Structures are given as structure tokens and as C-alpha cells.
């Protein structure tokens, strides 16, 4: 018999449910003047004491963005965004200068992260996990820094990296996602405030899970973080991000960029548990999660693996992708996207095969409930020189109720006839008959849904580090509360 | 006290009368067979007992182990020990037989204030019960009923019955679609599970099943009521003479 993870007891959470991360921390914020123009960008850059090259790059991105139009091709609907009616920089006041040690953090901020299950104090740090905690536009704490630096690993906030390691930043920023890439990547490049930076030197296997926890707190702000991970030759790193935001009536924009670079024989595993505020049951409020994530397998035999569990956000629009440039390189994408009530998700991946003998694997699980719309959009592209490229894609949809929608948009472009590309898709529905059958065996409706959803998502959840897999399972169950009966 | 007491049950579906005053009493240790022609209301009776929503209860009472069944949710009826072997077992995607049964067993144990079974005990019991219906180990790791043949689905129902050890099991046309070998396996399973503390209501069209699961009582359901009751010999009589004589007798009474 296969070892299976215990179906967790979700009843307690279900009864108290609603979005439990929806509280607001009462701290003073330092804000940039509302609106977006070159002065806003100069303000942000100055706040962060950035070198000149960074400001120049931001301004170029901004000028480019001004020429662009918001893309319309995704299968999502939302009213026009007024980019002038938002704050582009919000920092918890006391940490404008980042505290030198964890003990100096504003107790209010520390309590916020404790409430979110991310202790930042020296005594109670999460075992085996180094955390960079980002609130609104700035990183407020990074744990285990010294321990990591002994191995030559750099793990710090993006702002700090720009100041302390400008050469690395200059070399790699925008190298995978140039600011010209798309509308939201351009916007991010202009106004990005913080995020995580990570460099793993040659031959080092990072002994800890690196993790960033993103928290939006201030109202009427956008969050634009930028994450850059570089795994040098023969190195390995597993990185995890989590995110939450308070309950607010307004829609807040989150436009992040993540760039991964895996050199020869290196491996990067990137996991996301995304739980931004999804909006209420009538579809009011919630985060617009418009994110560009891309990794390049630069060297031979390198590997990049994306795992994502997407349960939050009013609208999710993201396609973590892999450019398989090195020969024998491997790209993977494991995704569970759950939408409920009026949530919309248009998510998937791009696997760009350039090198020889490159392999990619896509496992996408979409769960739709309520009146939500859930789309998988994926591209498998095999270039002329990519001899013997292989792809396997599997797209499964699970529907709960009859008012939601599941859509798949798989694109395949093959320019080399030695390629093998496989695509499988299934659609299942949790019907009244199934629920009654479970009830008749003594299983409540909520537990029945939990059981099916966990079974449906298992292949993806198994990719997550253990503690996060349990958390993600719970999250899936909570997010479906109220979707039946 | 009887285990199941149905008194003057009247049930409509979409305004149409289906059960028209059905009464039945089942005691522990008994096997009752309910036979009858198509459309007489047999499956409706099974659905009402299990708590399916599609029915309108017009009149009458059902007590299960002394409790008013209409005040209990379908899952609580199951946890109290009422089991329905479905005529058409449902396929559940993505959930293995093993984890389905583990969840069910532990939900029922929780309801009865018992500790959940640990993985080892559960596995041992599951293997034992699987043998009762000659189910292969691989069966347990497959998604519930998905891709199962008709016979496998029915065996799976009896396997679940054996796992959950109900006080009362209703077998809704468990014999339909079974070949003779599968019929024997299913019947054997039931006979091994039966004891003096539990009871069975076996709904069937055919006398054939009753050669293997021998009933204490046979009732004929016709036009929404139990019109004739007797011992197991009644089943043979029905097999020989069909239902026409009952229809005639019944209709002449009406006229």
C-alpha cells in the first residue's frame, strides 16, 4: 500500500473559517506621495539609497511602461485600474532603517508575523527554515543570516542586495524577465520596493529551506516585490514564499517579478503558497495578483522546479515558466489553483525547450467552486535545435457545483521533429450523488470535499516541504468552506 | 424493542404518491426480503431510510433503534449503524478505497467516542474484510468504484458493509447485474457478516439471491404497500407464479 498522508481534520477550521489572516496591524506607515510619475520612482530609489544604475534602470522601465497597454488576452474580467490612485511605497515607519538585530523589530510587527505563524524572535525561529519577512514595501527581518553566510550563501532583502552586492544584482536583474517583457513586469521594474535576494555559491547545497513571507498591510497600496535567486554551478536551493493580506473592500494590486537562474548542474526548487485576500462572498475587494515568474536553466544538467498552491487573490494571473537553455536541463511545474465565490484564475506555465535532451513536466490541478472561473493556460515550445526534447503535461479540473467554470488553453509549438510532447486532461465533478454516497458512509459533506480535494491535489502537495504541505491542505479545505449546501 | 419500525409510511416524489402506507418491523438477527415488480417503490424505501433528499415524507414514522430517523442527517444515520448497499454504487474520483474507508471508519468511531484506528490496525482489518469478498489487495488502492466492473462495485459495497459493521444493512438490488460466481461471493460475504445483533433488509426482484441469503421473512411490495408477507417459501411461490396473482388478488380487494 502507498504511504498516504493523513486526511487532516478540517472541521474545526471550517466552522470558524472566513479569511483568518484578514486583520490589520496598527502601525504608522511612511508613504510615497500618491500616484505614479518619475518623482515617485526617484523617491523610492532615494529611500533605498540605491546606486545610480538602479535608478536609471527603473526610469527606463517606467518610460517603457508608459508606452504600453494593459494586456487583455487573459480569461479574466475586472474594471480598469487607475494607476494614479494608489501608493507605490509604504514602509512601516520604524523600520525605515532596517533593524540590525531581530530583537529591535517593532513589537507590533513581530506580533503580526507571530499571528501569521512566522516567529521572528531569536528563540522561536522555525527550525530548518530561514525567513525573510516583507511587510508592504520593505523587508522587516531575515532570520538565520549568519549561519547561511558561513557557507557563502547570500540571503537578504532585495534592497540590501542592491546596496551590498550591486555587481551580482546588476548582472542578473532583468536577465530572465527584462522590463520590456510585459506590462506588469515593466511596472514592477519601475517601482519595485523590496523582495528577497538569494545567491548560492558553487557546489553548495543550501541546508535550510529559504522562505519569504509577504504581507500587505497598508491600504490603497500596491505591492511590487522582486525576487532574484541565483544558483551557481552544482548548487541546490529550496525556496518557499507565502503571502497574506488584510480584508479590505478595495482591490489592491500585487505585481511581482521572480527571476531564477540555475547554472550548470544546479537545482532550484521554488514553492509558493499564495493566500492573498480573495475578496468577500459577493466578490468585493481582494488582491489582483499579476505576477511574472520565470527561471532559466542556463547551464547543462540544471533543473528548475516550480510548485504553487494558489488559493487566494480575487484575480490570479501568473505563469511560472522555465527556459531550458542548457543541454539535459529539466523544468517542472506543479500547480493547484483553487477558486471559489467570484475568484478568477488564469494560470499555467511556459516550457521553452532550447537545449538538447531537455525535459519538462507539467502537472496542473484546477479546482473551481462557487461562481468562480479557473483557467489553465500553458505553452510548450520546442526550438529548432532542441533535439530529443520531451514534455509531459497533465491538466486536471475538478468542479464543485454547476455555476463555476474550468477552462484549458494548452498551446504547443514544436520546431524539431525529434520532440515528444504528451498532453493529458481530465475533468471531474463533485456531484450531489458523490456527497450523498459519502454521507451514507458516515462522512460529512465538508470532510467528503476535503477528502476528494486532497486526493485530487496530492501529486502537487507531495512536492511541497512537509510542514507546508499540511498547511496547504488545510488552506484548500478552508477556501472551499460554504461552497456547498 | 425492534431495530427498525416503519409505521404507515407515505412518501411522494414530485407530488406523485410512491409509498402509500407501508409498515414494517425488523428485529435484531433477522433477515427480511422485500420483493416486488418494477416501480413498486422498493428503491424509494431504501432512499428514504438512508436520508436521500429527493423525497417528500407525507405521513408516517420510522424509528431506528428507538430514534426518530427523520431527525437525523444521512451521516448520523450511518454513524448510528444504518448502511445502504447502493443499487448503483457511485464512483468517487481521486480517493482510494483505503482512504475512503479509513475516513468513514474513523468518523464513525469518533461519533461513538472511540479512538481512531491506527494505520497498522486499520490495514490488518481491511485485509481481513477484503478476503470476505475475495477482493484483491490492489483493489484497495484504486479510486472508489472508478473503472470497477459491475460485479466489483457490488463486492465493494459488501466490503464496506463488513468494514463498517452496521446494525442494519439495506441491500438495494445487490444481485442485479451479477453473474452466478459474483452472486455467491457477495452472498458469502453477507452470511459471514450476519450475526444475532444485526439485521438485513434485502431488496430484490429475484428469488435466486435468496437461495444464498436465506431470509426469515419475505414481503411483497406492490403499489406502495407491503401486500403479502410470509416465510422463505413465499419467494419460491413468487418465482413459480410471478407477481400477477398478487396484482389480481390485490386489485380485486380494491374493487
Amino acid at each position: 500500500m502507498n504511504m498516504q498522508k493523513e486526511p487532516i481534520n478540517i472541521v474545526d477550521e471550517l466552522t470558524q473559517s472566513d479569511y483568518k489572516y484578514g486583520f490589520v496591524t496598527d502601525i504608522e506607515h511612511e508613504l510615497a506621495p500618491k500616484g505614479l510619475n518619475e518623482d515617485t520612482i526617484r523617491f523610492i530609489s532615494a529611500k533605498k539609497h540605491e546606486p545610480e544604475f538602479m535608478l536609471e534602470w527603473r526610469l527606463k522601465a517606467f518610460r517603457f511602461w508608459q508606452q504600453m497597454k494593459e494586456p487583455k488576452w487573459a480569461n479574466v474580467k475586472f474594471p480598469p485600474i487607475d494607476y494614479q490612485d494608489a501608493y507605490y511605497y509604504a514602509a512601516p515607519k520604524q523600520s525605515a532603517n532596517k533593524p540590525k538585530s531581530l530583537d529591535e523589530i517593532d513589537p507590533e510587527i513581530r506580533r503580526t508575523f507571530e499571528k501569521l505563524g512566522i516567529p521572528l524572535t531569536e528563540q522561536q525561529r522555525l527550525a530548518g527554515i530561514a525567513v525573510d519577512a516583507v511587510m508592504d514595501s520593505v523587508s522587516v527581518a531575515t532570520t538565520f543570516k549568519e549561519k547561511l553566510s558561513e557557507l557563502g550563501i547570500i540571503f537578504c532583502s532585495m534592497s540590501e542586495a542592491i546596496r551590498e552586492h550591486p555587481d551580482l544584482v546588476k548582472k542578473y536583474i532583468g536577465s530572465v524577465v527584462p522590463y520590456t517583457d510585459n506590462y506588469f513586469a515593466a511596472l514592477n521594474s519601475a517601482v519595485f520596493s523590496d523582495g528577497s535576494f538569494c545567491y548560492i555559491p558553487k557546489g553548495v547545497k543550501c541546508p535550510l529551506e529559504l522562505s519569504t513571507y509577504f504581507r500587505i498591510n497598508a491600504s490603497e497600496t500596491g505591492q511590487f516585490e522582486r525576487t532574484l535567486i541565483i544558483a551557481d554551478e552544482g548548487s541546490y536551493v529550496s525556496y518557499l514564499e507565502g503571502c497574506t493580506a488584510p480584508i479590505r473592500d478595495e482591490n489592491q494590486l500585487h505585481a511581482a517579478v521572480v527571476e531564477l537562474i540555475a547554472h550548470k548542474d544546479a537545482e532550484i526548487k521554488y514553492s509558493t503558497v499564495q493566500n492573498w485576500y480573495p475578496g468577500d462572498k459577493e466578490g468585493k475587494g481582494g488582491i489582483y495578483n499579476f505576477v511574472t515568474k520565470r527561471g532559466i536553466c542556463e547551464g547543462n544538467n540544471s533543473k528548475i522546479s516550480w510548485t504553487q498552491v494558489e488559493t487566494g487573490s480575487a484575480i490570479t494571473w501568473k505563469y511560472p515558466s522555465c527556459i531550458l537553455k542548457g543541454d539535459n536541463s529539466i523544468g517542472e511545474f506543479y500547480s493547484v489553483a483553487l477558486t471559489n465565490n467570484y475568484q478568477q484564475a488564469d494560470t499555467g506555465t511556459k516550457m521553452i525547450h532550447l537545449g538538447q535532451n531537455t525535459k519538462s513536466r507539467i502537472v496542473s490541478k484546477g479546482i473551481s467552486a462557487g461562481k468562480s472561473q479557473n483557467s489553465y493556460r500553458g505553452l510548450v515550445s520546442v526550438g529548432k535545435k532542441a533535439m530529443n526534447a520531451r514534455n509531459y503535461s497533465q491538466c486536471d479540473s475538478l468542479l464543485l457545483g454547476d455555476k463555476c467554470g474550468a477552462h484549458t488553453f494548452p498551446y504547443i509549438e514544436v520546431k524539431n521533429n525529434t520532440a515528444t510532447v504528451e498532453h493529458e486532461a481530465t475533468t471531474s465533478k463533485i456531484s450531489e450523488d458523490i456527497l450523498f454516497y459519502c454521507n451514507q458512509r458516515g462522512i460529512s459533506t465538508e470532510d467528503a470535499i476535503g477528502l476528494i480535494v486532497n486526493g485530487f491535489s496530492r501529486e502537487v502537495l507531495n512536492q511541497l516541504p512537509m510542514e507546508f504541505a499540511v498547511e496547504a491542505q488545510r488552506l484548500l479545505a478552508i477556501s472551499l468552506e460554504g461552497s456547498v449546501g | 424493542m425492534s431495530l427498525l419500525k416503519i409505521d404507515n409510511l407515505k412518501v411522494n416524489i414530485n407530488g406523485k404518491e410512491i409509498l402509500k402506507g407501508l409498515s414494517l418491523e425488523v428485529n435484531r438477527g433477522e433477515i427480511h426480503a422485500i420483493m416486488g415488480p418494477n416501480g413498486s417503490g422498493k428503491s424509494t424505501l431504501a432512499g428514504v431510510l438512508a436520508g436521500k433528499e429527493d423525497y417528500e415524507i407525507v405521513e408516517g414514522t420510522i424509528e431506528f433503534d428507538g430514534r426518530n430517523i427523520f431527525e437525523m442527517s444521512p451521516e448520523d444515520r450511518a454513524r448510528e449503524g444504518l448502511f445502504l448497499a447502493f443499487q448503483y454504487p457511485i464512483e468517487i474520483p481521486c480517493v482510494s478505497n483505503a482512504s475512503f474507508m479509513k475516513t468513514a471508519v474513523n468518523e464513525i468511531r469518533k461519533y461513538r467516542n472511540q479512538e481512531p484506528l491506527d494505520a497498522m490496525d486499520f490495514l490488518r482489518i481491511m485485509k481481513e474484510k477484503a478476503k470476505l469478498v475475495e477482493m484483491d489487495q490492489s483493489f484497495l488502492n484504486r479510486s472508489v468504484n472508478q473503472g470497477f466492473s459491475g460485479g466489483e462495485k457490488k463486492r465493494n459495497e459488501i466490503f464496506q458493509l463488513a468494514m463498517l459493521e452496521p446494525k442494519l444493512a439495506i441491500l438495494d438490488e445487490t444481485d442485479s447485474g451479477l453473474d452466478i460466481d459474483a452472486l455467491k461471493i457477495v452472498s458469502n460475504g453477507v452470511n459471514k457478516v450476519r450475526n444475532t445483533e444485526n439485521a438485513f433488509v434485502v431488496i430484490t426482484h429475484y428469488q435466486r439471491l435468496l437461495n444464498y441469503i436465506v431470509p426469515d421473512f419475505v414481503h411483497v411490495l406492490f403499489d406502495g404497500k407491503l401486500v403479502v408477507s410470509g416465510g422463505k417459501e413465499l419467494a419460491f411461490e413468487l418465482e413459480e407464479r410471478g407477481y400477477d396473482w398478487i396484482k389480481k388478488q390485490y386489485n380485486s380487494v380494491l374493487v
Side-chain angles (χ1 to χ4, degrees), chain A residues 1-2 4 6-7 9 398 428-429 433-434 436-445 447 451-452 455-456, chain B residues 50-52 74-75 78-79 82-84 86 90-91 93-96 100 102-104 107 123 141 145 157 160:
Chain A
M1 214 183 95
N2 294 331
Q4 282 166 345
E6 290 280 311
N9 181 8
L398 185 66
S428 319
K429 192 173 169 210
D433 283 345
I434 289 177
F436 180 69
Y437 189 72
C438 293
N439 292 159
Q440 214 303 306
R441 299 302 185 248
I443 303 170
S444 69
T445 298
D447 286 351
L451 195 63
I452 297 167
F456 179 74
Chain B
K52 209 163 180 355
E75 55 268 37
R79 292 163 185 168
L82 188 147
F83 182 94
L84 171 63
F86 283 61
I90 306 294
E91 302 185 2
C94 316
V95 179
S96 71
F100 181 61
K102 192 165 180 206
T103 307
E107 282 293 322
L123 194 60
N141 288 327
N145 293 328
E157 294 294 288
Q160 294 180 29

Side-chain angles (χ1 to χ4, degrees), chain A residues 8-15 446-447 450 454 473-474 477:
Chain A
I8 49 154
N9 181 8
I10 56 171
V11 179
D12 293 348
E13 275 94 350
L14 282 169
T15 47
E446 279 83 1
D447 286 351
N454 284 335
Q473 244 183 351
R474 195 168 285 141

